[in-house]
Amino acid sequence: MWMAKPSSSLIRCPPASSSSSSPNFARLTCSSSKDALAPFSRRIKSLSEEELVGAAASPRRRLVLRGFPGGAEAFELVARFCYGGGGGVTVTAANACAVRCAAQYMEMADSPAATAASTAPSLVKVADKALEDMPHWPWHCVVDAVKQCQSLFPLAESTGVFDKVVGALLAQMAIPAPGDATPTSSSPESSAFRFSCDTKCSSLSLRRTWWFEDLVVLSPGMVERVAKALLARGADHGIVARFLFYYLKCRIAGAGAEDKKAMLEAAITVIADLDRSSVSCKGLFGILRIASPVKLAAGCQEMLVAMIGRKLDHATLDNLLVQAPSGTSSLYDVSLVLRFLEAFLRHGDEPGRLKKVGELMDLYLAEVAPDPSLRPARFVELATALPAAARDCHDALYRAIDVYFQVHGRLTDDEKMKICKGINYEKLSPECCKHLATNSGFPTRAAVQALASQHTVLKGIIRHSGPLKPASPPPPPAAHRESYDDADGDSNGQVVLYASRLELTLENQNLKSLLDSMHWRVMELEKVCSRMKTQMTKMKASRRGGGAAAARSLPRMCS
């Protein structure tokens, strides 16, 4: 586009159809063009003065303005304003943002021509007056203003234009749009991840999402800026979260790797600032699945892991079964789950949440235990990651370890004992304890510790069950008395059971039955322990030559 006024001066701007990716510029050719703009623009005035000082005057001198905000159309409006003596330009909703940024670029806040007696008009003031009415603009004009701001940064931010646009957005978002279909009602099952939230939404909150479709066309950087600005002005965190998930659902499909990365990083950065209750755990795992093949920035990866970790008590087994990275032999990404656990333990100190994660980890351990490529060190980390309060019963943990031992048949006893450290034998049920005692896959030391701990638990229960009372006279004969020694080798203390003299509840009756069935096993284990102590020296001496014979000389566990 070429403009000439008067004929001896030229103002050259880039054509309106030029690519937005190329830098905007304007060339002013002396003399009348600069003379017309200088009285209203301090930038043009100072550039003209510098050129006159630095070089001899020339009738074809040029000033090049690079990075001109708003491009050719905005520069034309600025030029018309100057040629019209501060008039002849109508600032509307369609051009107010660009004109305001262009005026700031040209330093037209205070006109150089202003004097004490006469004040020349200021294009900045004219644009600001038009922007004051932005909250009352039609919705489509506000959306257009948001789109314009994408190419006007950083001037849009420094001039306050972007802040006014966000204020207008928030004011109109609060107004429901009756009759408009909400984006949430058309979320397909086949999408990369479902548009969901942990909190149920009222009909009013659904009506407040009518604006999603209009802003989904924004660039990732602009989405991040708009979302953060809305949060800073008190926007509902749940609505912002829903918009981000909807934005990803609509834009991720078909996008290139770099575009996906930009979208995901923008969404993660904003979601990290939201309330934990406003973000769906299902949605976070959906982002994780999409981000797996994309190399996110390390900071964004950590933020995503931390957010999932804080909500790990809402996760399911399917969520945790993330495929291992390419190039590894394992089936599942165990390292990622361990990072989730670390993040959870930094915040998950409530007993209820801790036990939910304990149940989830028992399921996960049972799922990954059959993996032949899962190294013992990783399995130990999984089994021992949670504190003792996370599990009331260790039966599921024992069963997972049992499966792991069956699949990994070449483990040594020392390696097995390291894995067994995760088991609290006192929290095993009698059935599991009985199974462990006869399980040839577990080391003998583990079986001894299991039965010894059960012995201790039962002693404590009986000791605190209350005073002994005769069930019926006369007292039972001495032949009905049974006793056994402590399993830890302490022969001084004995637990004497008078079964017929105890007034037992249903629970204590079960315990009595258990004692009867385990009594002879404990005595047999005492003999095993005694013989192991006397043969320990022989086993060490015969480790190289007679190790097999010494091992065969040990008594077999009772079946």
Side-chain angles (χ1 to χ4, degrees):
M1 179 179 64
W2 292 83
M3 295 175 51
K5 187 179 182 178
S7 58
S8 61
S9 65
L10 293 175
I11 301 177
R12 186 185 180 191
C13 301
S17 60
S18 61
S19 173
S20 60
S21 60
S22 61
N24 294 330
F25 67 93
R27 290 192 182 125
L28 305 181
T29 304
C30 280
S31 60
S32 298
S33 295
K34 299 173 193 173
D35 295 340
L37 271 64
F40 298 92
S41 170
R42 291 187 180 276
R43 187 183 188 95
I44 298 299
K45 182 176 177 62
S46 61
L47 289 175
S48 299
E49 292 174 352
E50 290 174 5
E51 186 178 356
L52 289 172
V53 172
S58 170
R60 300 292 296 176
R61 289 196 309 272
R62 290 182 177 182
L63 295 179
V64 180
L65 305 175
R66 298 189 180 278
F68 194 88
E73 295 179 358
F75 184 77
E76 180 180 356
L77 292 172
V78 170
R80 289 185 183 279
F81 178 84
C82 296
Y83 276 112
V89 173
T90 302
V91 180
T92 65
N95 59 31
C97 295
V99 169
R100 177 63 180 86
C101 291
Q104 185 72 22
Y105 179 87
M106 297 289 283
E107 299 179 15
M108 301 175 73
D110 296 319
S111 174
T115 62
S118 173
T119 302
S122 167
L123 185 57
V124 168
K125 294 179 180 178
V126 173
D128 281 338
K129 185 176 181 181
L131 291 173
E132 289 177 0
D133 295 331
M134 188 180 294
H136 307 292
W137 289 0
W139 169 251
H140 68 89
C141 292
V142 177
V143 173
D144 289 340
V146 177
K147 295 176 182 178
Q148 288 182 34
C149 285
Q150 291 185 129
S151 60
L152 296 175
F153 270 87
L155 277 175
E157 189 171 30
S158 62
T159 57
V161 170
F162 179 68
D163 190 58
K164 292 178 181 178
V165 169
V166 173
L169 274 177
L170 193 61
Q172 299 216 24
M173 287 174 184
I175 304 174
D180 287 356
T182 61
T184 56
S185 62
S186 59
S187 176
E189 292 284 348
S190 59
S191 60
F193 62 92
R194 294 197 65 189
F195 175 47
S196 60
C197 185
D198 284 339
T199 55
K200 293 184 178 180
C201 305
S202 64
S203 58
L204 177 59
S205 65
L206 288 177
R207 289 200 302 271
R208 291 174 61 190
T209 62
W210 55 269
W211 48 270
F212 285 8
E213 192 68 32
D214 295 317
L215 298 187
V216 81
V217 297
L218 298 178
S219 66
M222 196 61 183
V223 166
E224 180 180 346
R225 292 188 180 103
V226 169
K228 286 187 174 182
L230 290 174
L231 293 174
R233 285 177 167 265
D236 182 81
H237 284 220
I239 297 297
V240 174
R242 304 165 93 82
F243 168 66
L244 293 172
F245 285 127
Y246 182 75
Y247 174 78
L248 291 176
K249 182 182 78 70
C250 293
R251 296 288 301 274
I252 283 291
E258 289 301 319
D259 290 337
K260 284 184 179 179
K261 178 181 177 181
M263 294 175 194
L264 290 167
E265 289 180 351
I268 291 170
T269 302
V270 178
I271 292 173
D273 295 332
L274 300 178
D275 295 336
R276 183 167 62 91
S277 60
S278 64
V279 182
S280 164
C281 182
K282 187 175 183 180
L284 290 176
F285 275 103
I287 293 178
L288 179 68
R289 286 193 296 273
I290 298 173
S292 294
V294 180
K295 293 183 178 180
L296 297 179
C300 284
Q301 289 180 350
E302 290 302 320
M303 281 191 287
L304 182 58
V305 169
M307 287 188 290
I308 292 176
R310 287 196 296 267
K311 296 184 72 69
L312 194 59
D313 53 314
H314 294 280
T316 64
L317 177 61
D318 289 339
N319 295 146
L320 297 185
L321 297 179
V322 180
Q323 187 176 359
S326 58
T328 59
S329 56
S330 298
L331 295 176
Y332 302 112
D333 195 343
V334 175
S335 299
L336 181 62
V337 175
L338 287 170
R339 291 167 63 192
F340 292 157
L341 286 172
E342 291 176 4
F344 172 78
L345 292 175
R346 288 195 292 265
H347 306 279
D349 53 351
E350 298 92 342
R353 297 182 61 209
L354 192 60
K355 289 181 179 179
K356 286 183 179 179
V357 174
E359 295 174 359
L360 179 62
M361 288 310 302
D362 286 342
L363 295 174
Y364 185 74
L365 281 166
E367 192 69 27
V368 301
D371 182 3
S373 300
L374 181 58
R375 295 184 290 108
R378 276 283 184 248
F379 193 81
V380 169
E381 288 184 73
L382 283 174
T384 60
L386 292 175
R391 295 181 175 95
D392 292 331
C393 179
H394 280 220
D395 287 8
L397 179 59
Y398 163 72
R399 286 190 288 268
I401 293 176
D402 186 24
V403 172
Y404 188 80
F405 286 170
Q406 294 177 34
V407 175
H408 300 76
R410 296 184 178 181
L411 295 176
T412 64
D413 280 359
D414 289 338
E415 289 175 326
K416 289 183 178 181
M417 286 304 298
K418 289 180 181 178
I419 296 175
C420 289
K421 286 182 179 179
I423 302 177
N424 184 340
Y425 299 107
E426 295 182 358
K427 292 185 177 182
L428 286 177
S429 67
E431 292 76 12
C432 279
C433 187
K434 177 182 177 181
H435 188 274
L436 194 157
T438 60
N439 192 339
S440 60
F442 277 70
T444 304
R445 285 175 290 173
V448 172
Q449 291 177 7
L451 289 179
S453 63
Q454 288 289 308
H455 184 193
T456 303
V457 170
L458 295 174
K459 275 178 34 178
I461 293 175
I462 295 173
R463 185 180 295 114
H464 295 90
S465 62
L468 297 177
K469 298 179 181 179
S472 60
H480 292 169
R481 183 181 302 174
E482 299 178 358
S483 65
Y484 57 89
D485 296 339
D486 291 342
D488 56 4
D490 184 5
S491 58
N492 295 327
Q494 291 185 336
V495 178
V496 182
L497 304 180
Y498 296 93
S500 60
R501 296 179 59 188
L502 286 174
E503 192 177 64
L504 299 175
T505 62
L506 179 59
E507 180 181 2
N508 284 346
Q509 290 175 3
N510 293 335
L511 292 174
K512 174 60 174 60
S513 176
L514 174 66
L515 282 174
D516 291 339
S517 63
M518 294 181 60
H519 155 243
W520 62 273
R521 292 190 181 91
V522 174
M523 297 182 66
E524 185 67 20
L525 283 171
E526 287 177 350
K527 296 177 183 179
V528 172
C529 292
S530 177
R531 293 185 60 184
M532 287 177 65
K533 291 179 181 178
T534 59
Q535 293 183 9
M536 189 62 66
T537 304
K538 297 180 181 179
M539 290 175 64
K540 291 181 179 179
S542 60
R543 181 172 298 174
R544 293 185 178 179
R552 287 195 298 270
S553 64
L554 288 175
R556 182 181 177 85
M557 291 291 296
C558 303
S559 59

